[in-house]
Amino acid sequence: MKLLKKIFKINLFISSYIPLYIIIFIQNMKKLDLESIIKVYKLNSILWNILIFSSIISMISLIIFFNGNYTKKESFLEVKSINNDILDYFITYIIPLNTIDITKGTSILVNFMIFFVIGTYYIHSDLMYLNILLIFMGYNVFQDNYDNIIISKKDIDYLRTNEDIICKKIGNSRIYIVK
């Protein structure tokens, strides 16, 4: 079970960069047409295949996890929104956008190393909630007075006024997903 939680955390990290992969792809296009898509893909098909494959796997595992069993009951006190923290994390997109050259192996290696360092910190610090895709998928991110992180499509009033909220805890982290 511990391995599954670690895989979930890694997949959530990978999925947090899917918008960046798309932005970098578009940034390398000369025009918005099929010919440009094919040209950019051919510039480094191995890189794009790895990114596409890892993005699909991470999204599938997220969908499975978010649709899994919710059996824990919790109450959350003094809940506040922290959706803005996700936008602060978005700043990590700037380095790759300004530095990556998809035709140079050294550029890709340096950016991979940056992602590895960020990913290690992200996973070990339980920062999985810093994922712009959660916002795109309709989730909100909240924090309670015990610094628990609550990921939910429910609004803040629901979390503040209900007891025994059905949720799922991610491993031994302080992150809860409310159904």
Side-chain angles (χ1 to χ4, degrees):
M1 194 63 142
K2 197 173 189 177
L3 178 63
L4 287 176
K5 300 302 179 186
K6 181 75 90 177
I7 290 170
F8 172 74
K9 290 178 180 184
I10 291 168
N11 283 327
L12 199 51
F13 172 72
I14 291 170
S15 72
S16 72
Y17 280 92
I18 291 173
L20 176 66
Y21 309 150
I22 294 168
I23 291 168
I24 290 172
F25 191 92
I26 292 170
Q27 183 181 31
N28 283 277
M29 295 172 60
K30 302 286 186 220
K31 298 187 288 184
L32 290 175
D33 62 4
L34 183 60
E35 185 179 330
S36 290
I37 292 171
I38 293 168
K39 282 183 182 178
V40 171
Y41 176 79
K42 286 183 178 180
L43 285 173
N44 195 334
S45 61
I46 294 171
L47 171 68
W48 297 120
N49 285 334
I50 290 170
L51 293 178
I52 290 167
F53 178 76
S54 62
S55 296
I56 290 170
I57 296 299
S58 70
M59 288 302 297
I60 289 171
S61 68
L62 289 180
I63 291 167
I64 290 169
F65 187 83
F66 275 86
N67 289 318
N69 293 330
Y70 290 73
T71 57
K72 193 164 183 57
K73 291 185 177 183
E74 288 288 332
S75 295
F76 303 103
L77 303 172
E78 298 178 32
V79 177
K80 65 180 180 181
S81 175
I82 58 169
N83 282 337
N84 290 339
D85 291 358
I86 294 172
L87 293 177
D88 292 343
Y89 182 73
F90 208 67
I91 199 77
T92 61
Y93 280 36
I94 291 174
I95 294 170
L97 278 175
N98 289 326
T99 63
I100 195 162
D101 180 346
I102 62 169
T103 62
K104 292 185 179 175
T106 54
S107 176
I108 292 168
L109 179 61
V110 166
N111 277 278
F112 174 77
M113 291 169 64
I114 291 168
F115 286 132
F116 181 79
V117 169
I118 293 169
T120 301
Y121 176 73
Y122 180 96
I123 291 164
H124 290 289
S125 300
D126 286 331
L127 297 174
M128 292 83 59
Y129 63 93
L130 295 176
N131 188 327
I132 195 72
L133 285 185
L134 295 174
I135 302 295
F136 292 155
M137 293 167 49
Y139 287 91
N140 294 298
V141 182
F142 305 101
Q143 186 174 32
D144 72 4
N145 62 322
Y146 294 109
D147 291 330
N148 292 315
I149 302 298
I150 304 116
I151 301 170
S152 177
K153 288 188 176 182
K154 305 285 186 187
D155 64 22
I156 197 165
D157 292 330
Y158 176 85
L159 297 174
R160 286 179 176 163
T161 59
N162 286 285
E163 294 182 11
D164 293 332
I165 296 172
I166 298 173
C167 60
K168 177 192 301 191
K169 186 174 182 182
I170 299 176
N172 61 353
S173 73
R174 57 188 170 80
I175 300 174
Y176 295 84
I177 301 172
V178 174
K179 188 164 182 143

